[in-house]
Amino acid sequence: MSSPWSPRKKLELNPSRYPARLRLLAVLVVAPAILLAQVPWWALVLLLAALPLLVRGWQPAQLSQMELHEQRLTLIGRHWQELECPRRVLRAGPWMAIQTPKGWLHLFDDQAPREQLQPFYQWLWTNKSN
Protein backbone atom coordinates (compact mmCIF):
# COMPACT_ATOMS: atom_id res chain seq x y z
CA MET A 1 0.00 0.00 0.00
CA SER A 2 1.44 3.34 -0.93
CA SER A 3 1.20 6.36 1.33
CA PRO A 4 0.49 9.93 0.14
CA TRP A 5 4.15 10.74 0.83
CA SER A 6 5.33 8.16 -1.69
CA PRO A 7 3.20 8.73 -4.79
CA ARG A 8 3.19 6.18 -7.54
CA LYS A 9 4.33 7.53 -10.89
CA LYS A 10 4.33 5.57 -14.12
CA LEU A 11 5.75 6.83 -17.39
CA GLU A 12 5.62 5.27 -20.84
CA LEU A 13 8.60 6.44 -22.89
CA ASN A 14 8.68 7.13 -26.63
CA PRO A 15 11.41 5.81 -28.92
CA SER A 16 14.37 8.17 -29.23
CA ARG A 17 15.98 9.66 -32.33
CA TYR A 18 19.44 9.74 -30.69
CA PRO A 19 20.52 6.10 -31.37
CA ALA A 20 20.37 6.79 -35.12
CA ARG A 21 22.59 9.84 -34.58
CA LEU A 22 24.99 7.73 -32.51
CA ARG A 23 25.26 5.20 -35.34
CA LEU A 24 26.07 8.00 -37.80
CA LEU A 25 28.65 9.42 -35.40
CA ALA A 26 30.23 5.95 -35.07
CA VAL A 27 30.58 5.71 -38.86
CA LEU A 28 32.08 9.22 -39.05
CA VAL A 29 34.63 8.41 -36.33
CA VAL A 30 35.65 4.97 -37.58
CA ALA A 31 35.83 5.73 -41.33
CA PRO A 32 38.92 8.02 -41.06
CA ALA A 33 40.63 5.42 -38.88
CA ILE A 34 40.00 2.80 -41.56
CA LEU A 35 41.30 5.17 -44.26
CA LEU A 36 44.50 5.78 -42.28
CA ALA A 37 45.11 2.08 -41.63
CA GLN A 38 47.91 0.53 -43.64
CA VAL A 39 46.04 -2.28 -45.32
CA PRO A 40 45.79 -3.31 -48.99
CA TRP A 41 43.35 -1.28 -51.08
CA TRP A 42 40.94 -4.22 -51.45
CA ALA A 43 40.73 -4.63 -47.66
CA LEU A 44 40.17 -0.89 -47.30
CA VAL A 45 37.25 -1.00 -49.75
CA LEU A 46 35.84 -4.09 -48.05
CA LEU A 47 36.02 -2.51 -44.57
CA LEU A 48 34.45 0.77 -45.73
CA ALA A 49 31.64 -1.12 -47.50
CA ALA A 50 30.96 -3.29 -44.45
CA LEU A 51 31.00 -0.42 -41.92
CA PRO A 52 27.40 0.80 -42.48
CA LEU A 53 26.16 -2.80 -42.33
CA LEU A 54 27.99 -3.42 -39.05
CA VAL A 55 26.53 -0.41 -37.23
CA ARG A 56 23.03 -0.72 -38.74
CA GLY A 57 21.77 -3.17 -36.11
CA TRP A 58 23.51 -1.60 -33.12
CA GLN A 59 21.40 0.24 -30.57
CA PRO A 60 21.93 0.98 -26.88
CA ALA A 61 19.51 -0.65 -24.43
CA GLN A 62 16.84 2.02 -24.01
CA LEU A 63 14.15 2.35 -21.41
CA SER A 64 10.58 1.92 -22.58
CA GLN A 65 8.82 2.35 -19.25
CA MET A 66 9.65 3.69 -15.77
CA GLU A 67 7.63 3.39 -12.59
CA LEU A 68 8.37 4.97 -9.21
CA HIS A 69 6.61 3.57 -6.15
CA GLU A 70 7.40 3.24 -2.43
CA GLN A 71 11.10 4.11 -2.75
CA ARG A 72 11.62 1.65 -5.59
CA LEU A 73 12.20 2.41 -9.23
CA THR A 74 11.09 -0.15 -11.79
CA LEU A 75 12.84 0.09 -15.14
CA ILE A 76 11.62 -1.76 -18.20
CA GLY A 77 13.75 -1.82 -21.32
CA ARG A 78 15.73 -4.67 -22.81
CA HIS A 79 15.34 -6.23 -19.36
CA TRP A 80 13.11 -5.63 -16.35
CA GLN A 81 14.82 -4.28 -13.24
CA GLU A 82 13.67 -3.01 -9.86
CA LEU A 83 16.08 -0.73 -7.98
CA GLU A 84 16.12 0.42 -4.37
CA CYS A 85 19.26 2.46 -5.01
CA PRO A 86 21.06 2.86 -8.33
CA ARG A 87 24.67 1.77 -8.70
CA ARG A 88 25.89 4.46 -11.07
CA VAL A 89 24.04 7.11 -13.01
CA LEU A 90 25.81 9.05 -15.76
CA ARG A 91 24.20 12.13 -17.21
CA ALA A 92 25.56 14.26 -20.02
CA GLY A 93 23.32 16.66 -21.89
CA PRO A 94 20.28 14.89 -23.32
CA TRP A 95 21.52 11.43 -22.33
CA MET A 96 21.41 9.48 -19.09
CA ALA A 97 22.70 5.97 -18.41
CA ILE A 98 21.69 3.91 -15.39
CA GLN A 99 23.78 0.93 -14.31
CA THR A 100 21.69 -1.98 -13.09
CA PRO A 101 22.84 -5.46 -12.05
CA LYS A 102 21.70 -6.72 -15.46
CA GLY A 103 23.50 -4.03 -17.47
CA TRP A 104 23.22 -0.41 -18.55
CA LEU A 105 19.93 1.20 -19.55
CA HIS A 106 19.83 4.48 -21.46
CA LEU A 107 17.34 7.34 -21.33
CA PHE A 108 17.27 10.28 -23.75
CA ASP A 109 15.51 13.63 -23.22
CA ASP A 110 13.35 13.25 -26.32
CA GLN A 111 11.62 10.15 -24.90
CA ALA A 112 9.37 12.23 -22.60
CA PRO A 113 8.93 15.87 -21.50
CA ARG A 114 11.32 17.02 -18.77
CA GLU A 115 8.44 17.76 -16.40
CA GLN A 116 7.47 14.09 -16.47
CA LEU A 117 11.09 12.91 -16.09
CA GLN A 118 11.88 15.27 -13.18
CA PRO A 119 10.58 13.00 -10.34
CA PHE A 120 12.70 10.15 -11.70
CA TYR A 121 15.79 12.35 -11.97
CA GLN A 122 15.23 13.50 -8.38
CA TRP A 123 14.84 9.93 -7.12
CA LEU A 124 18.03 8.84 -8.90
CA TRP A 125 19.94 11.84 -7.51
CA THR A 126 18.81 11.43 -3.89
CA ASN A 127 19.15 7.63 -3.76
CA LYS A 128 22.49 7.16 -5.48
CA SER A 129 24.85 4.98 -3.47
CA ASN A 130 28.12 6.84 -4.13
Side-chain angles (χ1 to χ4, degrees):
M1 183 164 102
S2 87
S3 72
W5 296 103
S6 61
R8 186 178 187 116
K9 297 194 182 298
K10 187 173 184 178
L11 181 60
E12 295 284 334
L13 299 168
N14 301 321
S16 177
R17 68 181 186 273
Y18 285 103
R21 292 179 179 182
L22 290 173
R23 285 191 293 270
L24 178 62
L25 181 64
V27 169
L28 293 175
V29 167
V30 173
I34 291 173
L35 290 172
L36 293 174
Q38 294 185 3
V39 295
W41 67 269
W42 57 269
L44 187 71
V45 171
L46 184 66
L47 287 170
L48 287 174
L51 184 60
L53 297 174
L54 292 172
V55 299
R56 184 180 64 179
W58 175 84
Q59 184 168 338
Q62 291 184 51
L63 288 168
S64 60
Q65 183 180 353
M66 295 171 68
E67 186 174 346
L68 183 60
H69 55 93
E70 296 188 16
Q71 297 304 314
R72 285 195 173 91
L73 179 65
T74 303
L75 305 171
I76 300 172
R78 189 175 289 169
H79 54 270
W80 179 88
Q81 186 67 47
E82 191 169 288
L83 299 175
E84 290 185 10
C85 67
R87 291 186 177 184
R88 281 194 286 177
V89 177
L90 304 174
R91 182 147 186 221
W95 164 79
M96 183 173 69
I98 304 165
Q99 184 184 23
T100 68
K102 295 180 181 179
W104 288 89
L105 291 173
H106 302 273
L107 175 67
F108 298 95
D109 271 353
D110 66 342
Q111 290 184 275
R114 284 191 183 208
E115 304 83 44
Q116 292 178 348
L117 292 173
Q118 193 62 35
F120 299 99
Y121 290 154
Q122 288 175 345
W123 185 90
L124 289 165
W125 179 256
T126 58
N127 292 320
K128 64 182 178 178
S129 58
N130 293 349

